[in-house]
Amino acid sequence: MSTTGHDVGRSPGAGGDGEPRRTEAAPIVEAGDTGNRAARPRRWGSLAGLIALGAGLGVAAFVAAATKVDDPIIAVGNRVIDSVPRWLKEFAVRSFGTNDKPVLLLSVLAVLVVAAAAAGRLAQRRLNTALLAVAVVGIAGVIATVTRTSSRGSDWLPPIVGTVVAAVVLWLLSHRPTPDATASGPAESPMAYERRRFLMQAGLIGVGAAGAGGIAKAIRSSHQRVVVAAARARTLPTPRSAAKPVPDSASVGNGVTPYVTPTSDFYRIDTALVVPTVDPTTWKMTIGGMVDKPLTINYDDLLARPMIERIVTLTCVSNEVGGDLIGNARFLGVPLADLLKEAGVQKGATQIASRSVDGWTCGFPTVIALDGRDAMVAVAMNGEVLPTKHGFPARLVVPGLYGYVSATKWLSEIRLTTLEAFNGYWIPRGWSKDGPIKTQSRIDVPNSSAGLTAGKNVIAGVAWAQHRGIAKVEVAVDGEWREAKLATEPTVDGWRQWWIDWDATAGKHVLMVRATDTTGTTQPEERTDVAPNGATGWHTVSVKVA
Ligand SMILES: Nc1nc2c(c(=O)[nH]1)N[C@H]1C(S)=C(S)[C@@H](COP(=O)(O)O)O[C@H]1N2
Ligand SMILES: [Mo]
């Protein structure tokens, strides 16, 4: 192909040969045309760009699914997540909550769509420049993919294949072939011929791209089905120490969140754009680093070990005052202390670092795992094998610590190291190295939109100070503090419900809550941001009573 009058003399793609090539003769003109043909409508360019993008993404998705690596769009999205500054991450969580991931993916796609349409239009005039632009975007995609924390061996392949496909398609749809006298009847004008050829190619490629994308999806969902079926088929081991049954007195009812959070309502926070689907038949976890006897444990080994079952309230450090990034569940797992004992923790190993199959990491002080609390490698939640989004096949659960320093899902490695030698994923991103859960409380009822009537009402909610326990909850109505009644606390590792009767008068009222833990510490009034180590402040609700 000539680099100047690019490809103007080439014959139509399929079967066209023997056409004399008229290459070097053509001057560079704006329309990239031989001069005697009408310029193509600009929207053809946009369409060509979009079809090229679709073909690239479709084929890349297929290659990714077939080689079991992330789809390039997901990979780029994950790279973005890895590098967003703390303020932007907080803004995203605040604005979109757990929808931040779809929003991010749509943004990545939107950027690509706009860029592809522009590249397509550019290709009508300057095909080589447009192809160069495609290559640059593709290379950026490859770099983004391989520099992720969760990068794996062959994950550069899909974006490269996708880029080549996009470039070839863009070239196919953008170069101007000479009308082939034998292919088009004499009645057809050159423009009509070009139009027919363009639309046919675009349509065929579009269908092919959608097909490739569809096959990719089918491969992934069949893989997922196999894994989920394998997991469901498991009978869970009976714990050597079961969780005590939750008494009715742990719940105050009246619209307060259930004491045990149904798994389907349990909050989900992680950096994974697509939940890792781990095959339990090939999964294994290691315990290594500063230990006497490194261990490798597969799923069967893990399930064969003596287990405990405990109620633990997990909390995200990003939970705003009054927020719902908190959930309480019955976890079944192998005590972390047992595993550490077997591996033999060496002197000076002050930190327990852990890593997930997708490269996420965290760490917390070793002393915490050995102080008698029920830290565990959990395999089940609320009587069922861990759901994929909560870490199947195994995750860490450490009572009293925020998830970002302790609760590794899709666990693949536990490594004993020193506090100085390793920082988990969130630490260089502006979050504290230590993550003990702060004493907090939340008003569940009434909420600001409740239609209250004067007279007998109830103010109720939850309070938590995991592993310390709640000693007191106070509620203020219009600034006047009263002590609330406490529901039973089945475990200090879980939250505790509370309520107070309120004889409401008509008008506007401001309700506040504050908790005191068993160390005697009362929640400070001062409002602080969730970063770097969890929000403080009293949850406040304004209500109107009719
Ligand atoms: N692999 C992995 N594990 C992870 C995370 C993550 O991003 N990746 N996030 C942590 C954080 S910040 C929290 S709050 C908890 C949330 O657990 P859940 O989604 O089961 O509620 O998981 C922790 N474990
Ligand atoms: Mo979190």
Side-chain angles (χ1 to χ4, degrees), residues 83-235:
S83 49
V84 290
R86 190 175 80 187
W87 63 266
L88 186 55
K89 183 233 171 202
E90 283 174 54
F91 168 79
V93 171
R94 231 188 347 264
S95 329
F96 309 117
T98 36
N99 287 328
D100 57 342
K101 293 194 174 79
V103 169
L104 169 64
L105 280 184
L106 283 178
S107 312
V108 171
L109 264 180
V111 168
L112 283 176
V113 162
V114 170
R121 288 199 300 275
L122 178 65
Q124 290 184 314
R125 289 176 288 111
R126 301 171 170 278
L127 183 53
N128 288 332
T129 313
L131 291 177
L132 189 68
V134 172
V136 167
V137 171
I139 289 167
V142 173
I143 292 173
T145 302
V146 300
T147 55
R148 288 175 306 158
T149 52
S150 55
S151 175
R152 260 164 283 173
S154 63
D155 55 10
W156 46 268
L157 189 64
I160 286 186
V161 174
T163 304
V164 170
V165 168
V168 168
V169 169
L170 187 61
W171 174 82
L172 255 178
L173 293 178
S174 307
H175 77 287
R176 307 286 303 267
T178 308
D180 181 341
T182 58
S184 58
E188 197 172 32
S189 72
M191 197 60 195
Y193 163 78
E194 237 188 282
R195 183 187 155 80
R196 189 166 57 80
R197 174 181 162 280
F198 174 82
L199 288 178
M200 203 144 93
Q201 284 187 341
L204 280 176
I205 296 167
V207 168
I215 294 172
K217 221 176 157 159
I219 293 176
R220 281 196 197 280
S221 61
S222 96
H223 177 227
Q224 172 112 22
R225 264 200 306 278
V226 169
V227 168
V228 170
R232 294 251 167 83
R234 288 286 175 161
T235 29

Side-chain angles (χ1 to χ4, degrees), residues 89 267 269-270 315-319 325 360 402-405 426:
K89 183 233 171 202
Y267 81 98
I269 290 288
D270 52 63
T315 312
C316 183
V317 68
S318 295
N319 194 36
L325 299 180
W360 187 83
Y402 286 122
Y404 82 105
V405 290
W426 285 113

Side-chain angles (χ1 to χ4, degrees), residues 402-436:
Y402 286 122
Y404 82 105
V405 290
S406 67
T408 307
K409 305 191 273 189
W410 316 293
L411 183 64
S412 66
E413 181 187 0
I414 290 173
R415 200 164 46 82
L416 276 291
T417 178
T418 63
L419 284 165
E420 299 73 32
F422 178 78
N423 282 325
Y425 181 92
W426 285 113
I427 312 311
R429 290 171 171 82
W431 299 78
S432 294
K433 182 108 180 186
D434 282 321

